[in-house]
Amino acid sequence: MLNVFRNFWSVLNSKLKKYFFISIVLSILSSLAEVLTIGSFFPLVNFIFSPSDNQNSFFIFFINLNHDFNLGFENNMLLYFSSIFLIIVILSTITRLLVLWWNAFFIKRISVDFSVAILNDILSRNFLNILGKDQGKIFSLFFNKTD
């Protein structure tokens, strides 16, 4: 497995290596957003079932935030915590969509660069080496087969 990664890494140019690191960072950010979403769900459920027991650090932080900035949710804390949860879910969804878009872009760039490298390799070969090959196999390297 490590040899496959080394071979893959050696083929990538510096731009694609940078794209790979961006993909890793975005995936980590998306994972942290998911953890934050799951971590904010349980305090919300706890608040719904027992609104008087708000000694959780999550509650204390956001209650202090509400008091410090005068957000006006003193009478409706359920709406306040639900809004916070909804904002966290939206941010998590946006990061997931960003990761999906970036990974699709990255894979497309890799496939284009590899196709260009294969085409350059085939075009730089001697015609007599290509003459004995099946032309369908050569073209199948460049085009996706759809059934």
Side-chain angles (χ1 to χ4, degrees), residues 46-86:
N46 186 25
F47 184 79
I48 291 171
F49 289 120
S50 60
S52 61
D53 181 32
N54 50 7
Q55 298 303 318
N56 190 337
S57 62
F58 179 82
F59 292 127
I60 293 170
F61 173 76
F62 283 110
I63 289 172
N64 290 337
L65 189 69
N66 183 32
H67 290 298
D68 292 342
F69 292 106
N70 295 325
L71 298 176
F73 288 104
E74 288 81 14
N75 297 331
N76 197 354
M77 293 305 280
L78 181 61
L79 178 65
Y80 178 59
F81 288 122
S82 299
S83 300
I84 290 170
F85 177 72
L86 184 64

Side-chain angles (χ1 to χ4, degrees), residues 64-138:
N64 290 337
L65 189 69
N66 183 32
H67 290 298
D68 292 342
F69 292 106
N70 295 325
L71 298 176
F73 288 104
E74 288 81 14
N75 297 331
N76 197 354
M77 293 305 280
L78 181 61
L79 178 65
Y80 178 59
F81 288 122
S82 299
S83 300
I84 290 170
F85 177 72
L86 184 64
I87 289 169
I88 291 171
V89 167
I90 289 171
L91 289 175
S92 176
T93 303
I94 288 171
T95 57
R96 244 182 290 136
L97 289 173
L98 182 64
V99 166
L100 288 174
W101 174 80
W102 182 261
N103 286 339
F105 170 76
F106 177 59
I107 295 298
K108 182 179 77 169
R109 289 299 316 156
I110 287 177
S111 65
V112 167
D113 286 357
F114 282 178
S115 294
V116 168
I118 291 171
L119 181 63
N120 285 336
D121 180 54
I122 289 176
L123 291 177
S124 67
R125 290 185 182 194
N126 189 351
F127 180 70
L128 295 177
N129 291 340
I130 297 175
L131 192 60
K133 306 284 187 210
D134 183 16
Q135 304 303 321
K137 288 183 181 179
I138 293 173

Side-chain angles (χ1 to χ4, degrees), residues 131-146:
L131 192 60
K133 306 284 187 210
D134 183 16
Q135 304 303 321
K137 288 183 181 179
I138 293 173
F139 284 116
S140 71
L141 292 172
F142 303 109
F143 301 111
N144 291 333
K145 296 179 182 177
T146 56

Side-chain angles (χ1 to χ4, degrees), residues 5 8-9 12-28 98-113:
F5 181 73
F8 173 73
W9 191 255
L12 294 179
N13 60 21
S14 63
K15 188 175 186 179
L16 289 178
K17 288 178 183 178
K18 183 176 78 170
Y19 287 171
F20 181 77
F21 281 120
I22 291 172
S23 180
I24 296 295
V25 168
L26 287 176
S27 296
I28 290 171
L98 182 64
V99 166
L100 288 174
W101 174 80
W102 182 261
N103 286 339
F105 170 76
F106 177 59
I107 295 298
K108 182 179 77 169
R109 289 299 316 156
I110 287 177
S111 65
V112 167
D113 286 357

